[in-house]
Amino acid sequence: MNRHVKTLALACVVGLAGVHAAVTIDAQATSPQQAVDAAFAKYKNLKEGKNADYIPALAKVDSNLFGIALVTADGKVYTAGDIKTEVSIQSISKVFTMAQVIQEQGLDSIANRIGVDATGARFNSIIAVESVKVVQGAGAPEMNPLVNPGAISATSMVSGGSSDAVWNKIIGFHNDAAGRQLTVLQDVYKSESDTNQRNQAIGALMLAYGYIKSNWQQAVDLYTRQCSIGVNAKDLATMAATLAANGTNPVTNKKVLDADKVPGVLAVMATAGLYDDSGKWLYRTGLPAKSGVGGGIIAVSPGKFGIAVISPPLDDAGNSVRAQKAIADISNALGGNPYAAKKAGS
Ligand code: DON
């Protein structure tokens, strides 16, 4: 990966390392509920962007759907708008399957097999697969588990004797992070399964290049199913808050991920969570985040809060327009940027 992206990745890890002491949001002029309400009011009539339509079921989702949820690292919940309607989690699931592999097999498992470098390309780029192939054997692979090729490979790494066994672990991990039993939106799963030839091609290439060890078809199917899990804004915010609270769901108090695994997960979100717009996002907010083409975005202010917004219309990079704006405003109002360190004692 080019040098400035690597520098950015390092800066993320260093920048995030100092923030774990704070457990709640510091006293701000604006309360979390005021910040959430203000962003909802400001963007509720914004009409920019367009639903994803390369998965036909996503084009049918109500473009007006708009829900915001913020869950603090000590489990307080603040919401505005529609926090009940479920959309498909899509690429946000990549964070939790990556985390599950890291939990099971350690931080090096993902770094050595897939890599933790931004590709600077679109999430389903095949050119990115071809260009990283060239550096195989010359150090760790330069891919990451948040773009489709790396995500399908990460799904293939979840251990289990059968497809059902692997699936039960994947959905179980998502359930624990959300704090409730989630289900697959069958219409989305069918629609994406019928139209995911590009991901099948990516799965086959990842087997050919050694990222997937066997059965790429199973990996693509399970990946498609995990992308079709139904979530509402509160589920997503709780999942984000689990990362903000060092890997323990702050609402249920269930430990999902070891605390020492969380900074690695957040670092990949910071460098690659919004794809080729990750740098712009980080520059404006400082927050590790992840988007999905279903219209959700999660963001994490470590030690402080997790936040999620659902709004289906996307920009050209595949990120929800209203979600980016609302999260940036709310985090800025609450002092969520981990790089904006306070002077000691202030
Ligand atoms: O594989 C796909 O194309 C979708 N299941 C997920 C893509 C996605 O969410 C990209 N995110 N912004």
Side-chain angles (χ1 to χ4, degrees):
M1 195 57 248
N2 62 45
R3 224 181 33 214
H4 70 270
V5 175
K6 279 187 171 157
T7 309
L8 180 65
L10 182 63
C12 293
V13 176
V14 172
L16 296 174
V19 297
H20 290 284
V23 175
T24 50
I25 301 172
D26 307 324
Q28 299 284 327
T30 310
S31 74
Q33 190 60 54
Q34 283 170 332
V36 165
D37 287 341
F40 184 78
K42 183 169 168 191
Y43 298 116
K44 103 174 156 236
N45 296 317
L46 186 78
K47 298 279 183 226
E48 283 169 34
K50 188 171 164 297
N51 282 31
D53 57 8
Y54 73 98
I55 300 168
L58 300 186
K60 295 189 199 140
V61 176
D62 180 5
S63 304
N64 294 316
L65 175 61
F66 186 31
I68 304 179
L70 183 149
V71 178
T72 61
D74 57 358
K76 296 190 189 73
V77 180
Y78 303 92
T79 66
D82 185 340
I83 56 142
K84 292 230 164 91
T85 302
E86 292 181 2
V87 296
S88 51
I89 188 169
Q90 295 298 339
S91 287
I92 299 169
S93 68
K94 293 167 177 170
V95 170
F96 296 91
T97 300
M98 158 176 71
Q100 182 162 31
V101 173
I102 287 174
Q103 177 69 11
E104 254 186 22
Q105 298 164 36
L107 279 159
D108 285 347
S109 61
I110 288 284
N112 293 344
R113 172 90 73 87
I114 298 170
V116 289
D117 269 319
T119 63
R122 282 187 68 74
F123 59 85
N124 57 2
S125 170
I126 287 174
I127 291 174
V129 176
E130 288 301 312
S131 50
V132 294
K133 181 189 102 184
V134 176
V135 299
Q136 280 267 30
E142 301 205 346
M143 177 58 68
N144 70 74
L146 299 185
V147 287
N148 291 10
I152 294 167
S153 305
T155 299
S156 82
M157 291 173 74
V158 177
S159 64
S162 65
S163 174
D164 281 351
V166 176
W167 172 250
N168 287 336
K169 283 169 74 178
I170 291 174
I171 188 77
F173 197 86
H174 284 71
N175 289 343
D176 288 347
R180 76 172 180 107
Q181 204 120 44
L182 303 169
T183 54
V184 167
L185 300 178
Q186 291 298 334
D187 61 324
V188 177
Y189 176 48
K190 176 162 188 351
S191 179
E192 183 161 348
S193 299
D194 288 346
T195 54
N196 69 351
Q197 290 76 21
R198 190 180 177 100
N199 281 343
Q200 292 180 45
I202 288 173
L205 281 177
M206 294 310 266
L207 178 84
Y209 299 156
Y211 295 86
I212 294 179
K213 297 300 175 197
S214 68
N215 204 345
W216 64 263
Q217 293 93 338
Q218 175 176 303
V220 172
D221 176 55
L222 290 174
Y223 163 82
T224 306
R225 229 189 290 179
Q226 83 179 39
C227 287
S228 307
I229 294 171
V231 282
N232 59 40
K234 188 167 164 242
D235 296 327
L236 287 177
T238 309
M239 296 170 93
T242 297
L243 297 173
N246 286 330
T248 295
N249 182 321
V251 178
T252 63
N253 288 319
K254 179 161 190 171
K255 184 171 140 192
V256 182
L257 182 64
D258 294 338
D260 64 349
K261 312 275 178 12
V262 173
V265 171
L266 295 178
V268 185
M269 291 170 72
T271 51
L274 267 66
Y275 306 113
D276 35 334
D277 278 353
S278 297
K280 277 184 227 151
W281 169 260
L282 200 63
Y283 187 78
R284 276 193 287 126
T285 67
L287 299 181
K290 183 74 206 83
S291 60
V293 287
I297 296 185
I298 62 169
V300 178
S301 180
K304 294 186 175 174
F305 59 81
I307 184 167
V309 175
I310 292 178
S311 169
L314 310 178
D315 64 15
D316 289 342
N319 302 315
S320 166
V321 177
R322 280 198 295 197
Q324 290 176 78
K325 290 181 188 291
I327 293 173
D329 277 18
I330 294 166
S331 176
N332 289 340
L334 299 177
N337 187 332
Y339 295 108
K342 287 206 166 149
K343 274 195 196 147
S346 66

